């Protein structure tokens, strides 16, 4: 019995139909989330953040009740995480409504949900990450055979470390292990790890408390020394169901940023107090001073950096291809509340377009 082979044109047409169908599915999912009607203020806002200096806006906002004051009758439920991938799981699983999170996991949350589950609505912190090493390590090549610690596989610093190693031809020639930041400090002291790519205050703790030295400040890899370390994301469904609550959250964040700019000493003291509350231990004066000098607290998420950050994930081997980031940002609520206090508009740099 003769079987006719499918013509190349027929195969191409079939493949095109599959691509169109996939695209329509993504558009449909996104549209469904955005068609959720306004349900008024939420009864509760579950807000994620980390006990890091790079989450200063979150720590100040919760510690000084700036979020609570703006949220009114909405109950604020703070939820602590060690690193971004765990927070992504909570956002995608629906057990978290909004979260301060690293740029890398924010991209992953958007990409994994095919652009439907989350939106980046503001920045929080730029800068504040370093590669610190044992004093005898003076060049990237001396990392061969050594062990570098990062907070978690796929988190912002993990992506940065793996991408940088790839550019130095060191992929597969350096051991990378992931552990909680407090464990990294002890592992560095014991010699179990010889380097670490960490956010503040942990890079400062290794330098000042464990004798590490800075081999690379991540700021040196970015134009103007600025890159997004922490941003604020919200579930898309929550954003459209409770826009008033989202605006209140953003007002609270702007209050925290304003406080940090007006009173750096008071802001550092509040951040340190919150770190003690969350971790059981405060930072020394030298550590908090060094860490604070290494960050910029800002509501600007630096949207123009995200296409490069997405490509970094592919270079780092975290993803097979560069994640899609088009449509990830929605800064309309942020710019609305900024306009109310006579602050300039923050650009989405085209990241709001699908």
């Amino acid at each position: 019995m003769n079987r006719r082979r499918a013509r190349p044109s027929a195969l191409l047409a079939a493949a095109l139909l599959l691509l169109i169908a996939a695209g329509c599915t993504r558009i449909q999912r996104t549209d469904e989330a955005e068609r959720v009607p306004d349900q008024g203020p939420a009864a509760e806002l579950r807000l994620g953040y980390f006990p890091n200096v790079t989450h200063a806006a979150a720590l100040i906002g919760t510690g000084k009740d700036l979020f609570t004051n703006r949220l009114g009758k909405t109950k604020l439920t703070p939820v602590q995480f060690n690193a971004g991938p765990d927070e992504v799981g909570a956002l995608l699983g629906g057990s978290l409504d909004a979260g301060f999170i690293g740029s890398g996991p924010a991209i992953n949350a958007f990409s994994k949900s095919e652009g439907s589950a989350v939106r980046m609505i503001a920045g929080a912190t730029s800068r504040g990450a370093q590669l610190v090493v044992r004093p005898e390590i003076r060049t990237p090549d001396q990392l061969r055979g050594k062990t570098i610690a990062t907070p978690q596989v796929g988190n912002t610093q993990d992506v940065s470390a793996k991408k940088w190693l790839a550019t130095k031809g060191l992929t597969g020639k350096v051991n990378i292990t992931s552990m909680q930041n407090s464990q990294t400090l002890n592992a560095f002291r014991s010699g179990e790890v010889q380097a670490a790519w960490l956010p503040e205050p942990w890079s400062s703790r290794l330098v000042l408390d464990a004798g590490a030295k800075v081999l690379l400040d991540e700021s040196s890899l970015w134009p103007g020394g600025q890159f997004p370390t922490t941003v604020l994301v919200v579930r898309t469904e929550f954003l459209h169901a409770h826009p008033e609550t989202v605006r209140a959250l953003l007002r609270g964040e702007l209050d925290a940023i304003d406080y940090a700019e007006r009173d750096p000493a008071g802001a550092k003291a509040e951040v340190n107090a919150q770190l003690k509350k969350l971790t059981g231990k405060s930072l020394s004066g030298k550590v908090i001073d060094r860490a604070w000098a290494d960050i910029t607290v800002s509501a600007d998420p630096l949207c123009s950096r995200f296409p490069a950050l997405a490509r970094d994930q592919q270079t780092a081997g975290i993803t097979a291809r560069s994640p899609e980031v088009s449509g990830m940002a929605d800064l309309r609520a942020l710019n609305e509340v900024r306009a109310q206090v006579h602050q300039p508009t923050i650009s989405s740099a085209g990241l709001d377009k699908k």
Side-chain angles (χ1 to χ4, degrees), residues 248-259:
L249 171 64
L250 287 167
R251 290 188 184 100
E253 186 194 12
L254 292 184
D255 290 343
I257 292 171
D258 179 64
Y259 179 78

Side-chain angles (χ1 to χ4, degrees), residues 47-166:
L47 180 66
Y49 64 105
F50 308 165
N52 290 343
V53 173
T54 51
H55 286 237
L59 295 171
I60 294 168
T62 54
K64 298 193 76 64
D65 293 328
L66 300 178
F67 296 134
T68 299
N69 292 341
R70 292 291 190 175
L71 286 168
K73 294 182 179 179
T74 298
K75 176 186 177 183
L76 177 68
T77 302
V79 185
Q80 180 184 345
F81 294 88
N82 175 68
D86 289 338
E87 188 170 334
V88 168
L91 285 163
L92 298 185
S95 62
L96 197 67
D97 301 310
F100 290 87
I101 195 169
S103 55
I107 291 172
N108 290 339
F110 181 76
S111 177
K112 285 180 178 179
S113 66
E114 297 181 323
S116 66
V118 300
R119 290 291 181 271
M120 180 172 67
I121 59 170
T125 304
S126 63
R127 307 190 303 121
Q130 297 175 329
L131 170 60
V132 297
V133 299
R134 301 196 71 80
E136 62 269 19
I137 298 174
R138 297 181 177 86
T139 66
D141 198 59
Q142 289 179 315
L143 290 169
R144 290 175 182 269
K146 303 296 193 298
T147 298
I148 296 179
T150 65
Q152 191 172 12
V153 174
N155 97 305
T156 303
Q157 288 75 45
D158 186 68
V159 172
S160 297
K162 290 173 180 175
K163 184 259 184 176
W164 181 77
L165 289 171

